[in-house]
């Protein structure tokens, strides 16, 4: 039986999950690979810190103990962050090791560079865990849906924001309050900006888009907008419109290029992603042959993310065994143009505070009509002393039309405030 | 560039889809494989019949033109049925060809034999399209979830019965009427027994169970019950119980063995599979590392099934290119015992017609209590002249308890009929 030696860089949440799964399911994994996978060394910051996982592996605080160990076949990078992870992975590849990583930050910026080096040295670089935890969306796009031209990828791929928006909707509470609670429970970080500002989802979407459309997309190409301006009022109005609010990651291959965006969106309750609550993730894909398909599961956590990492380790082990590493590398054979947000065509939800006087709604409708904007739904409610709140749901329009309409609306003396503008995504 | 020659056995719905996808997406497929995939020959019953697809391939009515053609690398079997498909696939493998098949009937009975021969001759046998159309559930179980010990697989994997049950629920119509309509629309076959009796789902479940639990399960090991006894009344009561009725394919790995069953089941509307309507399929999987996960998409049809076949062709092409065919073969390294239905522990929905007299419900409750059966819900409705209908939802019990209770209930003079008994599956 073949013996595969692995070295793990990092022993945080994901690293501990990887060790737990490899230990607990060792017998099945051996049967599934015809190989014995042995954890030889684990890189940690401080070898004195007490650890919750144990095994026959050696702890080290010197990267080269792993990167330069000639016995190690697979380096598993679960440290996160750009540096030193990037340098370590490049060094591991140059030392002739296969690499499995869960690092979305790195892949979203330097995926192409790393995949090119892996190809050059004939080794595998697998990264299923970098997007949507245990959900096998990367394998699906690279292999199981390879017959298709993918037109659309829409995901709920950030658990923190989904937890916050779900709790706001279920409990009618406001953003700051729920965020504070999420931080206490460990669902949001002390500095939550990467999640709530949409950057985490944008990184994952960059990775998914590159694979789905075979064209390089980095985090810098994603149009990003976060959830911090979503209020309990918006969520209540969405509910009146038989809809809910999700942070969506949307990638579309259209005639005029790729449309890649992350933002809060109002979606009908009948939308396949509407029922994805709490810390779950789901990714909805449309391909020309398969039609609509969806993948659902836990998007984060020690064991779900560990599931993706260990399944990658198993696949790389099979590749080592059959001498077929580096079979699937970078497949960005297209160079598709990126659409600017001016050219995104979506419906909008617009919430306005106005004076509650006759003809205000009629005037507003005229101002919008001048920018060629018409409405699918209107809600008007009296608010306090001679004021009203109006919620408008437009038909699909371009951002330019929205801007033009909002300018004349803001200049109209009866409009007290434009409280919020949120994109609306139909089915 | 490598040239891969394929021969297709069968030019029905799936065969036409395969040709359409390979033709339409040829450029992308070449980019994704670094190979040119050429359809060389297609086996048909009658080469004179006019065809809706065309190409540079040759039509033949002689199997050996394909099976013995030394140029052909991959044989694609999309004829269906046990024979002659089995003989052709065995011959293809012995002639040193890789095989891609969509044949669930064959895999559910002879999967092990075929996989053993494939291993022996060092060739690939791929069969993603045999279960749930385009949904990549086999690749998920064999590869992407390989880190996990799978405890549960529950699927809505038969489109015909799901279409019928969905239409019955949405339109309040009865089984025979909806079946007749489904036959006219082409969603059900002239002889619908394979679908409505649950055999089609049982075949797919046998394949899924074998892979999920690494233990051989054939169609003969599946406890099967069809949907023909489900009435509009049952569906209306299910709806009152905030539930719906689905034909479920359920496979569980439990301490005392494998529980493999296909039957109509009442499930709460909050169940992840409850919203899978019409011709869609979904498969819900629980693994020890990944937790709950679900895969959703079209379960049948020319292009969705073709998507799975062509993605398999692409994968086999990559394997040929990297000289790594036969890497993943039969993985039935376990030999787990099969549970008998006596040992299935589930809740039941029981619909009775009784005389509408005092103390009938009390007496019934006592009779059930003697068999240790208690209730989660009870609905009683007056029906016509001094009769009532009672619907009981039990707590989980064994079949033996159900039989014992039903015997004494049937012997009770106030009970006019036991109208239906349906298993109930919670979340």
């Amino acid at each position: 039986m073949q013996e595969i030696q692995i070295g793990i860089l990092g022993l945080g949440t994901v690293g501990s999950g990887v060790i737990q799964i490899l230990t607990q399911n060792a017998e099945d994994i051996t049967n599934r690979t015809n190989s014995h996978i042995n954890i030889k060394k684990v890189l940690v910051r401080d070898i004195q810190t007490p650890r919750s996982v144990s095994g026959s592996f050696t702890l080290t605080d010197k990267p080269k103990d792993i990167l330069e160990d000639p016995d190690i076949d697979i380096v598993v990078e679960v440290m996160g962050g750009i540096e030193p992870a990037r340098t370590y992975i490049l060094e591991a590849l140059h030392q002739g090791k296969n690499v499995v990583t869960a690092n979305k930050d790195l892949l979203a910026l330097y995926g192409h560079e790393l995949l090119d080096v892996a190809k050059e040295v004939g080794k595998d670089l697998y990264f299923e865990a970098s997007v949507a935890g245990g959900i096998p969306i990367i394998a699906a796009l690279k292999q199981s849906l390879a017959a298709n031209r993918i037109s659309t990828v829409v995901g709920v791929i950030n658990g923190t924001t989904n937890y916050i928006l779900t709790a706001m909707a279920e409990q009618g509470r406001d953003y700051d309050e729920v965020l504070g609670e999420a931080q206490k429970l460990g669902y949001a970080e002390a500095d939550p900006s990467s999640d709530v500002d949409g950057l985490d989802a944008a990184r994952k979407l960059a990775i998914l888009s590159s694979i789905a459309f075979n064209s390089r997309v980095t985090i810098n190409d994603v149009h990003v907008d976060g959830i911090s301006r979503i209020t309990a009022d918006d969520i209540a109005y969405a509910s009146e419109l038989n809809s809910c609010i999700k942070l969506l990651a949307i990638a579309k291959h259209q005639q005029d290029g790729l449309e890649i965006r992350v933002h809060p969106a109002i979606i009908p309750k009948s939308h396949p992603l509407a029922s994805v609550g709490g810390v779950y993730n789901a990714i909805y894909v449309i391909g020309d042959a398969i039609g609509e398909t969806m993948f659902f599961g836990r998007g984060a956590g020690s064991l779900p993310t560990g599931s993706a990492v260990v399944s990658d380790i198993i696949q790389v082990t099979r590749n080592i065994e059959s001498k077929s590493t580096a079979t699937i590398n970078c497949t960005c054979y297209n160079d598709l143009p990126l659409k600017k947000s001016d050219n995104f065509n979506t419906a909008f939800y617009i919430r306005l505070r106005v004076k509650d006087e006759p003809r205000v709604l009629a005037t507003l409708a005229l101002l919008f009509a001048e920018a060629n904007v018409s409405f699918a739904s209107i809600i008007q409610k009296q608010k306090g002393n001679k004021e009203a709140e109006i919620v408008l749901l437009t038909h699909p329009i371009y951002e330019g039309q929205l801007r033009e309409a909002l300018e004349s609306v803001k200049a109209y003396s009866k409009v007290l405030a434009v409280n919020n503008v949120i994109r609306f995504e139909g089915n």
Side-chain angles (χ1 to χ4, degrees), chain A:
Chain A
M1 184 169 303
Q2 183 183 238
E3 182 95 6
I4 294 291
Q5 303 290 349
I6 74 171
I8 302 180
L9 309 177
L11 187 46
T13 310
V14 179
S16 307
V18 169
I19 292 173
Q20 188 183 331
I21 297 166
L22 282 172
T23 309
Q24 195 166 286
N25 295 348
E27 199 185 319
D28 278 291
I29 291 170
T30 299
N31 276 314
R32 288 170 191 171
T33 55
N34 300 313
S35 302
H36 177 247
I37 297 175
N38 181 50
I39 306 168
K40 190 174 179 198
K41 293 176 188 166
V42 180
L43 176 71
V44 293
R45 238 179 250 150
D46 180 356
I47 55 172
Q48 304 302 337
T49 309
R51 308 282 168 182
S52 61
V53 290
S54 62
S56 58
F57 50 81
T58 311
L59 289 183
T60 173
D61 54 7
K62 294 179 198 68
K64 68 175 191 175
D65 281 355
I66 291 176
L67 303 175
E68 296 177 10
D69 182 336
D71 290 346
I72 288 178
D73 304 290
I74 306 174
V75 170
V76 178
E77 185 274 307
V78 284
M79 321 165 53
I82 303 289
E83 283 296 351
R86 174 170 162 267
T87 303
Y88 293 173
I89 289 180
L90 288 171
E91 177 62 17
L93 291 169
H94 285 302
Q95 291 281 346
K97 304 190 184 317
N98 299 282
V99 174
V100 172
T101 172
N103 195 325
K104 59 181 169 289
D105 304 47
L106 189 55
L107 264 292
L109 258 183
Y110 296 104
H112 183 72
E113 177 196 15
L114 299 176
L115 285 163
D116 275 356
V117 172
K119 187 180 179 184
E120 208 181 289
V121 301
K123 296 294 165 182
D124 275 336
L125 173 66
Y126 275 52
F127 51 92
E128 182 64 78
S130 65
V131 179
I135 304 175
I137 186 63
I138 290 175
L141 292 172
K142 282 200 167 188
Q143 300 181 49
S144 304
L145 305 182
N148 291 263
R149 293 166 70 104
I150 305 292
S151 62
T152 304
V153 176
V154 184
V156 171
I157 50 177
N158 178 271
T160 303
T161 51
N162 203 42
Y163 172 84
I164 292 172
L165 292 169
T166 304
M168 284 174 72
E170 283 173 359
Q171 301 154 20
R173 289 157 72 200
D174 235 317
Y175 172 76
D176 289 324
E177 204 182 324
V178 174
L179 171 60
E181 190 191 80
Q183 286 172 316
K184 267 184 219 154
L185 292 169
Y187 293 147
E189 303 197 29
D191 175 2
S193 55
S194 164
D195 290 311
V196 301
D197 293 346
L199 296 172
D200 174 83
R203 288 187 188 103
K204 294 167 181 168
L205 187 62
I207 298 170
L208 290 180
S209 305
S210 300
I211 299 170
F213 308 131
N214 304 107
S215 187
R216 201 174 316 161
V217 176
T218 74
I219 168 123
N220 303 319
D221 300 322
V222 185
H223 173 85
V224 191
D225 183 16
I227 66 160
S228 56
R229 65 192 167 78
I230 303 297
T231 68
D233 284 346
D234 295 317
I235 288 180
Y237 280 116
S239 181
E240 270 190 63
L241 294 162
N242 205 20
S243 299
C244 62
I245 303 185
K246 296 278 177 197
L247 182 75
L248 291 191
I250 300 174
K252 296 185 177 183
H253 183 178
Q254 297 183 318
Q255 282 211 315
D256 52 345
L258 298 183
E259 184 167 321
I260 316 285
R261 50 191 164 99
V262 168
H263 53 74
I266 300 184
I267 57 175
K269 286 201 173 133
S270 58
H271 190 289
L273 294 173
S275 58
V276 178
V279 296
Y280 282 92
N281 279 196
I283 298 139
Y284 168 84
V285 179
I286 304 178
D288 61 347
I290 197 171
E292 295 173 62
T293 179
M294 197 169 80
F295 303 82
F296 170 91
R298 283 188 177 270
S302 177
L303 292 178
T305 309
S307 166
V309 172
V310 175
S311 297
D312 274 357
I313 292 173
I314 289 173
Q315 201 48 43
V316 173
T317 296
R318 289 170 173 161
N319 294 344
I320 293 172
E321 191 179 6
S322 63
K323 299 187 174 60
S324 60
T325 55
T327 305
I328 309 178
N329 289 107
C330 184
T331 51
C332 288
Y333 52 81
N334 288 322
D335 186 11
L336 300 170
L338 280 153
K339 287 173 67 172
K340 295 205 172 124
S341 69
D342 285 350
N343 299 322
F344 298 169
N345 191 271
T346 69
F348 284 93
Y349 154 107
I350 302 165
R351 180 160 63 88
L352 305 170
R353 180 68 70 119
V354 299
K355 290 191 180 160
D356 191 10
E357 292 175 15
R359 276 186 302 203
V360 170
L361 187 61
T363 308
L364 279 174
L366 279 174
L367 292 174
F368 277 100
E370 276 166 22
N372 234 333
V373 178
S374 60
F375 303 116
S377 295
I378 297 174
I379 301 174
Q380 174 161 355
K381 292 197 174 178
Q382 214 180 322
K383 289 276 174 181
N385 188 19
K386 292 182 179 170
E387 293 186 11
E389 196 158 48
I390 296 181
V391 166
L392 306 164
L393 203 60
T394 75
H395 285 299
I397 54 173
Y398 290 100
E399 272 195 15
Q401 290 173 270
L402 175 77
R403 266 197 303 272
E404 185 188 333
L406 286 182
E407 258 170 47
S408 43
V409 164
K410 279 176 188 166
Y412 175 35
S413 62
K414 308 293 183 190
V415 172
L416 305 169
V418 176
N419 282 324
N420 218 342
V421 177
I422 306 172
R423 288 183 193 271
F424 178 90
E425 295 285 325
N427 275 329

